[in-house]
Amino acid sequence: MDNSKQLLNRITQQLKPASNDSKTPAGDAPTPPSVEQKEAINQIFELFRFNYHNQFLKAFPDYDTLIMAKRLWARLLVEYSGDVIMRAAEKAVKDSTYLPTVHEVVRRCDRADVLGLPDAHAAYIEACRAPSPKQSFNWSHAAVYYAGRASDWYFLANTPEHKAFPVFQRNYELLLKRLEQGEDLELEIPTALPQESVVPLPPEEQQRRLQALKDAL
């Protein structure tokens, strides 16, 4: 336990803001967590306390250790939105009987299923099989459509999988990263063309045109 606390003490020193005498350039300062991310970290630890009571108290026996651990988690998870952090933690709790580590939660933050998306290969198959018009297809998620569009539909349809899939996978993972950071992706819905409306001619005009037609015969 002492070794664990000493390690957390060293990490805490690294997380403290640099003093005015620090040689570290201002641009290298770590990004501070947002209010949403801090709230997610607090909720995660309450979730862990409830589900792993004895393990939790053994890992975080006092207030100082708990605070240091939260600072570490906030630093390592700062690139993910609060919603993604919570989903990853809940997934970890569901799948494990042991208290999850921050590295386990980080790993799960990078997985598509945390966001409710298919994995990269399943998304690739969906993109390849989707009929035209692509935009009207019932996509499992908008990210699949945008990854397919970025990869070029013709390229996907006419290139062997061993060449096409890496291109699609890269585009898909870039979109996942944007989702992890809290960005919304919505499918662009094309504006429907107005239906043509036919206005009947007045009876007098109908009779005039009919008479003109008879006279022409």
Side-chain angles (χ1 to χ4, degrees):
M1 186 60 64
D2 290 339
N3 291 337
S4 175
K5 192 168 183 178
Q6 288 173 7
L7 175 61
L8 284 170
N9 277 324
R10 289 199 301 272
I11 294 171
T12 302
Q13 292 301 319
Q14 297 172 3
L15 298 180
K16 287 182 178 179
S19 67
N20 292 334
D21 298 330
S22 173
K23 304 293 184 180
T24 304
D28 293 339
T31 304
S34 66
V35 173
E36 179 199 26
Q37 289 168 324
K38 289 179 180 178
E39 181 60 29
I41 297 297
N42 287 330
Q43 291 182 32
I44 283 174
F45 275 76
E46 288 305 309
L47 180 69
F48 290 168
R49 188 198 302 273
F50 180 80
N51 286 277
Y52 306 98
H53 184 72
N54 292 335
Q55 295 178 46
F56 185 92
L57 294 179
K58 190 173 182 179
F60 314 113
D62 54 61
Y63 179 78
D64 289 341
T65 305
L66 179 61
I67 294 301
M68 287 188 286
K70 286 184 177 182
R71 288 175 180 170
L72 172 63
W73 281 61
R75 178 175 178 177
L76 295 180
L77 292 165
V78 73
E79 63 181 286
Y80 306 103
S81 70
D83 182 58
V84 169
I85 294 171
M86 279 303 305
R87 289 190 188 188
E90 289 170 355
K91 186 72 174 174
V93 168
K94 182 178 179 181
D95 294 344
S96 177
T97 57
Y98 298 99
L99 180 67
T101 66
V102 65
H103 301 291
E104 170 68 9
V105 175
V106 168
R107 183 178 66 83
R108 289 179 179 276
C109 282
D110 287 326
R111 289 173 52 179
D113 61 351
V114 169
L115 298 166
L117 277 72
D119 62 48
H121 191 262
Y124 167 76
I125 297 299
E126 180 181 350
C128 290
R129 293 178 177 176
S132 295
K134 305 293 187 182
Q135 203 170 15
S136 301
F137 181 65
N138 185 25
W139 297 95
S140 60
H141 194 279
V144 183
Y145 165 78
Y146 284 119
R149 191 176 75 173
S151 304
D152 186 79
W153 301 116
Y154 182 85
F155 172 78
L156 294 180
N158 295 277
T159 306
E161 181 175 326
H162 72 276
K163 292 183 178 180
F165 175 61
V167 175
F168 177 89
Q169 184 178 29
R170 178 182 179 278
N171 290 323
Y172 191 59
E173 289 175 351
L174 288 173
L175 288 163
L176 291 184
K177 185 61 66 177
R178 288 166 57 183
L179 290 170
E180 289 163 1
Q181 295 169 350
E183 183 176 339
D184 290 328
L185 293 177
E186 295 184 0
L187 205 59
E188 300 167 356
I189 306 298
T191 304
L193 295 176
Q195 293 184 349
E196 183 180 357
S197 58
V198 179
V199 180
L201 294 171
E204 297 82 2
E205 181 64 18
Q206 291 182 32
Q207 287 296 329
R208 188 188 69 78
R209 293 191 180 189
L210 180 60
Q211 186 60 49
L213 180 61
K214 288 180 179 179
D215 293 342
L217 295 176

